Amino acid sequence: RTVMRQGLAHAARHGITSIQNMDGNLYTLELLDEIRAEGGLTARCRIPFHFKSAMDLAMLDKASAMAARYQDDWLASGTVKLFMDGVIDSRTAVLIDPYPGETAWRGDPLFTPDRFAAIATEADRRGLQIAVHAIGDGAVRIVLDGYAAARRVNGARDSRHRVEHLEVIDPADVPRFAALGVIASMQPRHAPGAAEFPLEPTLSLIGRDRWPYAYAWRTMKEANARIVFATDWPVSPICPLASLKAAVTRPRWAAEDPDQRFTVMEALEAATVAAAYAEFSEHRKGVIAPGFLADMALLDGDLMATPPDAIDQIGVRATIVGGRVVYQA
């Protein structure tokens, strides 16, 4: 509980009012519930059930139980999180074509396509949201195929299933996000050269031919995909303003490649309005409006008037959650 309080305080200092965690279990929610009872919960938290490759389908009973027990404005579940692959730099991301310099190695998925389709179909049948870590274009395709299989079996519904990261995507799969209603959850700071991650070895491992469809925020948006920007803390620093800066200042790796940058307003929308949509909360948060939850971050600078390179220099003056000041500079 002490460590969780430290994490909540860290988030509050950066203006974060809601957290969509990408790992967790019932115990995580129970600890947060104890903190809530003590008056120490400073952010609204959505915690998934982490479905691991060694589990069988019966384990989804736990995900359903979490969803039934926690579903209010402060603590909620209802999401199943899986990992489909690893990361590009260790060559564990799953690609459609082999890695540069390799004749066959594409990375191994943590779930076979058929098994993931069965898991996705059962989770979808239960009314659970699914979020899958998929970085390589091969992993993204397996996930989209699984979501399509679930829709064929269960019928179309407002599922808002998610793909987390999608750092490389095949052009044939770009329009499938809008067609299937799948959310593209992406992290601006992860793009090499946009923030703390260097260009190499990632660019070489992606391969020149795949650059136009790597970290393809603008390409996805123009295909009507629902884009959500996230920090992926602790992989990247938690500061949302630094993420916004990366989204609007990211350099192109080659002049002939698409410019994937967002405008400031587009990036802000992806981190607020779209983020609320991703957790089925767009009718009560994500914007400042009458009747919505009183959650807001007060900044000490004008975001729209600040030069893009200086967006991360804006400070958080105060963070308010549920009408209560949970951080004040």
Side-chain angles (χ1 to χ4, degrees):
R1 283 195 300 271
T2 298
V3 172
M4 281 188 166
R5 282 178 175 270
Q6 291 172 346
L8 288 165
H10 184 59
R13 283 195 297 273
H14 289 280
I16 292 172
T17 60
S18 287
I19 295 166
Q20 296 175 33
N21 218 40
M22 284 294 113
D23 200 354
N25 50 39
L26 179 59
Y27 184 57
T28 310
L29 280 162
E30 289 174 338
L31 286 174
L32 288 167
D33 210 0
E34 292 176 16
I35 293 173
R36 169 165 62 173
E38 298 166 353
L41 193 58
T42 57
R44 306 179 193 276
C45 301
R46 186 175 179 91
I47 306 296
F49 173 77
H50 185 173
F51 192 100
K52 301 179 181 179
S53 59
M55 295 178 175
D56 58 38
L57 284 179
M59 291 295 286
L60 289 174
D61 287 345
K62 292 190 174 183
S64 294
M66 287 170 61
R69 182 172 168 186
Y70 290 100
Q71 203 59 253
D72 60 54
D73 283 339
W74 284 95
L75 293 176
S77 190
T79 301
V80 178
K81 170 69 187 299
L82 303 92
F83 281 80
M84 184 55 68
D85 64 352
V87 296
I88 292 168
D89 287 5
S90 61
R91 301 184 187 219
T92 52
V94 174
L95 301 177
I96 293 173
D97 296 318
Y99 278 86
E102 300 281 354
T103 57
W105 179 246
R106 296 172 172 85
D108 284 332
L110 294 173
F111 297 87
T112 66
D114 287 346
R115 181 152 190 260
F116 175 73
I119 296 165
T121 299
E122 176 59 17
D124 181 78
R125 184 191 69 80
R126 293 168 177 256
L128 297 167
Q129 185 186 36
I130 307 165
V132 185
H133 167 118
I135 282 182
D137 54 6
V140 173
R141 178 165 293 176
I142 292 171
V143 175
L144 291 175
D145 287 347
Y147 291 162
R151 176 175 280 202
R152 286 194 298 271
V153 173
N154 300 326
R157 69 179 183 89
D158 186 16
S159 56
R160 306 188 194 185
H161 297 321
R162 304 166 56 140
V163 178
E164 307 297 325
H165 310 310
L166 55 147
E167 294 183 0
V168 182
I169 186 169
D170 187 85
D173 291 322
V174 171
R176 299 180 71 193
F177 278 78
L180 293 169
V182 175
I183 292 170
S185 174
M186 308 174 86
Q187 295 70 38
R189 296 185 73 147
H190 284 188
E196 63 272 11
F197 290 101
L199 296 177
E200 296 295 349
T202 311
L203 290 191
S204 294
L205 290 172
I206 290 172
R208 179 66 185 90
D209 290 345
R210 284 183 281 243
W211 283 8
Y213 291 93
Y215 310 88
W217 317 322
R218 171 65 58 190
T219 298
M220 295 291 294
K221 185 175 181 62
E222 290 178 351
N224 296 316
R226 181 82 66 161
I227 307 294
V228 175
F229 279 161
T231 64
D232 202 32
W233 181 63
V235 173
S236 298
I238 201 170
C239 178
L241 291 166
S243 291
L244 295 184
K245 173 187 173 181
V248 302
T249 63
R250 166 191 170 183
R252 277 188 279 191
W253 305 320
E256 63 271 24
D257 286 343
D259 185 349
Q260 300 290 357
R261 292 176 298 174
F262 270 31
T263 67
V264 174
M265 188 57 72
E266 288 172 337
L268 185 63
E269 187 271 344
T272 55
V273 178
Y277 175 88
E279 60 167 40
F280 300 89
S281 298
E282 72 275 12
H283 61 286
R284 63 184 182 272
K285 62 180 173 179
V287 298
I288 299 172
F292 275 52
L293 299 172
D295 301 352
M296 61 195 79
L298 279 65
L299 307 181
D300 63 12
D302 184 341
L303 185 62
M304 301 305 297
T306 300
D309 284 338
I311 287 175
D312 60 337
Q313 301 304 309
I314 298 174
V316 175
R317 183 68 58 83
T319 304
I320 301 169
V321 183
R324 179 168 65 98
V325 177
V326 298
Y327 168 75
Q328 191 164 7

